[in-house]
Amino acid sequence: MSALTAPAGPRDHLRTVALLVRWQLGRQSMYLPLLVVVQVLMAVATVVGYGLLVGNPEPAAALYLATGAPTITLIVVGLVMTPQSVATSRTEGSHDWMRSLPVPRTLFLVADLALWTVLALPGVVLGVVAGAVRFDVTLDLAWWLPLAVIVVSMTSAAVGYAIALTTPPAIAMLLSQVLVFFVLLFSPISFPRDRMPGWLTGVHDWLPIEPMAQAVRAGLASSTFDVPTRSVVLLVAWCALSLVGAGLALRRRV
């Protein structure tokens, strides 16, 4: 990182992002392999655990369960692991050190979001494979599935980033634990929304979780599911707002 200077053009920006990603990988070299293993196990355990709960479900329910695991992985990595990592870096002081470097704060955000997206991919892939095998479903992938995965990953990680930068580290870690239960048990990811009470469906009408699940589900089983236009608009709005919010939180003085 000693060669890191203020970027002057697009090539310098890309080089700076690459250096920041490499520095983050080096700083967390002891932690990141374990994080990848945990999120892979979580993706597979979600499939196996739901399978134990429901036994041998009907084909429609099986497709929901098989396509829900990768969405849960993406959301949990962004909303749970990202704020925990950022809160830890704030506590140990490395976050303040990075903020003192002569580079735009937005590049920190780009580097971190790219890193968390890449780290989530092994769990997403294995979650899809485990779901298809366990529930014996056939998937037909849409060409735009990679874009949907990137948008879902960026949105959830940006929201987690903003939470970690705008709340005390201890609160951010506690809040991330609460979000795990909300995502796993009270969000229409692995089951239809009509199973939830009316007040909860009303809450999810304005949260990005259901549009995230719909985007990934339709990308994995494109001949069975689609994404309502309202969900696309809501997801894009949340993605834009979360990126702006995380960028502003990164610029604020702490």
Side-chain angles (χ1 to χ4, degrees):
M1 293 294 282
S2 60
L4 194 58
T5 58
R11 292 184 62 180
D12 288 340
H13 283 82
L14 290 175
R15 174 176 172 273
T16 301
V17 169
L19 286 172
L20 290 170
V21 170
R22 192 174 71 179
W23 185 84
Q24 287 282 36
L25 288 172
R27 183 179 70 84
Q28 304 182 73
S29 58
M30 298 287 292
Y31 167 70
L32 290 181
L34 179 61
L35 185 147
V36 172
V37 171
V38 168
Q39 55 104 352
V40 166
L41 290 176
M42 181 181 64
V44 176
T46 300
V47 172
V48 175
Y50 279 146
L52 293 175
L53 284 173
V54 301
N56 295 314
E58 297 294 324
L63 203 50
Y64 262 92
L65 293 169
T67 57
T71 307
I72 289 174
T73 300
L74 288 171
I75 295 176
V76 169
V77 168
L79 289 183
V80 178
M81 294 183 179
T82 299
Q84 289 181 350
S85 176
V86 175
T88 300
S89 69
R90 289 182 64 192
T91 302
E92 67 186 18
S94 60
H95 181 74
D96 289 336
W97 180 81
M98 290 192 69
R99 285 163 57 96
S100 69
L101 296 175
V103 296
R105 302 285 171 78
T106 52
L107 296 187
F108 292 127
L109 183 62
V110 172
D112 274 1
L113 294 183
L115 179 63
W116 287 109
T117 299
V118 171
L119 290 176
L121 290 181
V124 171
V125 173
L126 285 180
V128 171
V129 173
V133 172
R134 169 60 181 84
F135 297 108
D136 192 24
V137 298
T138 301
L139 303 176
D140 52 320
L141 310 184
W143 63 268
W144 45 264
L145 176 61
L147 177 61
V149 169
I150 291 173
V151 171
V152 171
S153 177
M154 286 178 54
T155 304
S156 55
V159 171
Y161 214 92
I163 291 173
L165 292 178
T166 55
T167 59
I171 299 298
M173 291 188 179
L174 180 63
L175 189 58
S176 67
Q177 300 302 316
V178 175
L179 288 173
V180 171
F181 291 99
F182 185 75
V183 169
L184 286 175
L185 301 177
F186 302 104
S187 298
I189 297 175
S190 296
F191 54 85
R193 63 180 276 137
D194 56 13
R195 296 185 184 179
M196 299 188 303
W199 67 268
L200 191 53
T201 59
V203 171
H204 276 289
D205 282 342
W206 300 103
L207 293 178
I209 297 176
E210 185 177 19
M212 290 176 177
Q214 291 171 330
V216 176
R217 187 183 304 129
L220 289 171
S222 58
S223 61
T224 305
F225 300 106
D226 57 9
V227 190
T229 302
R230 182 183 185 280
S231 296
V232 174
V233 173
L234 187 62
L235 180 56
V236 171
W238 265 95
C239 183
L241 290 174
S242 60
L243 290 174
V244 172
L248 293 175
L250 199 55
R251 290 171 181 267
R252 67 191 282 265
R253 294 179 180 275
V254 296

